[in-house]
Amino acid sequence: MNQSRIATLIRELLVEIGENPDREGLQRTPERVAAAWAELTRGYREDPTTLINGAVFSAEANNMIIARDIEVYSMCEHHMMPFFGRCHIGYIARDMVIGVSKLARLVDMYARRLQIQERLTAQIAHAVQSAVNAEGVGVVMSCRHLCMMMRGVEKHESVMTTSSVLGSFHHVQSTRLEFLHLIGSPKP
Ligand code: ZN
């Protein structure tokens, strides 16, 4: 990622919105924005295999494993504005489990890209599925989108909830209901 090129573009953006990029408060803004974008998009420069790095463990468990309330911070691809909320992941292991901190890092890896919430949810579900070869996976995410809250329709309180279910979470209704019961009603 060419941060000095991004800084140049941000400087041009400041001019186009009617600002003076040379005034005191803005002098280093292009560099700060470039550094922030490097962080907000670092997921493009990560891959799940390296990230998980062997943190998958053999286990007899065949019960449902739930990680609740994982924080999500992402950027919508339509407006390049933040959306944020919480994500709940459940899976039924066959013979492997993954460390809960790695689940959170998987969420981050996909969230630190330009996203739509539906795809982010599905990517997390598929990543968990392939990391542990789970019998089934469910992911539910509830987020507030600043592009909706601050502009356009200005729906300040609206929350979007998305879900992705794979394997037994998809085709066994009792499994899906157990998952939804265990995560409770998701709040952003
Ligand atoms: Zn948007």
Side-chain angles (χ1 to χ4, degrees):
M1 214 179 123
N2 185 339
Q3 285 201 35
S4 71
R5 169 82 178 129
I6 291 173
T8 303
L9 293 171
I10 295 299
R11 190 184 156 85
E12 288 179 26
L13 177 66
L14 287 169
V15 172
E16 290 303 323
I17 64 174
E19 265 293 357
N20 168 16
D22 294 317
R23 74 175 171 85
E24 194 186 349
L26 294 178
Q27 278 173 14
R28 296 199 54 250
T29 294
E31 287 72 28
R32 282 190 291 258
V33 173
W37 273 94
E39 197 175 330
L40 297 175
T41 61
R42 68 163 192 263
Y44 288 118
R45 295 171 289 281
E46 296 176 331
D47 71 88
T49 312
T50 315
L51 186 146
I52 292 165
N53 188 29
V56 171
F57 310 100
S58 304
E60 295 284 310
N62 66 345
N63 49 325
M64 193 176 293
I65 298 166
I66 303 268
R68 275 184 53 119
D69 291 320
I70 300 169
E71 288 176 60
V72 178
Y73 298 95
S74 190
M75 305 290 284
C76 90
E77 70 183 19
H78 298 138
H79 306 93
M80 296 173 77
M81 290 177 79
F83 65 93
F84 58 94
R86 288 171 189 272
C87 164
H88 314 288
I89 301 174
Y91 65 95
I92 297 180
R94 278 188 230 274
D95 46 17
M96 286 188 289
V97 296
I98 182 171
V100 69
S101 68
K102 294 292 183 180
L103 284 179
R105 294 201 54 199
L106 268 182
V107 170
D108 259 352
M109 187 194 82
Y110 289 108
R112 302 288 189 191
R113 301 175 183 189
L114 297 185
Q115 282 287 9
I116 58 171
Q117 189 179 322
E118 296 89 332
R119 184 176 63 227
L120 176 58
T121 309
Q123 285 176 334
I124 294 165
H126 282 100
V128 174
Q129 164 66 36
S130 64
V132 297
N133 186 31
E135 178 197 298
V137 178
V139 177
V140 171
M141 186 182 298
S142 291
C143 290
R144 294 177 190 276
H145 292 245
L146 288 188
C147 61
M148 284 186 71
M149 297 166 74
M150 293 180 69
R151 55 162 292 288
V153 288
E154 297 197 29
K155 297 286 185 215
H156 301 140
E157 296 301 320
S158 60
V159 174
M160 182 154 112
T161 299
T162 48
S163 69
S164 179
V165 286
L166 305 174
S168 57
F169 283 56
H170 178 68
H171 58 255
V172 182
Q173 191 191 23
S174 60
T175 301
R176 187 165 65 244
L177 291 175
E178 183 188 351
F179 171 59
L180 294 174
H181 174 72
L182 286 170
I183 64 172
S185 57
K187 292 192 182 59

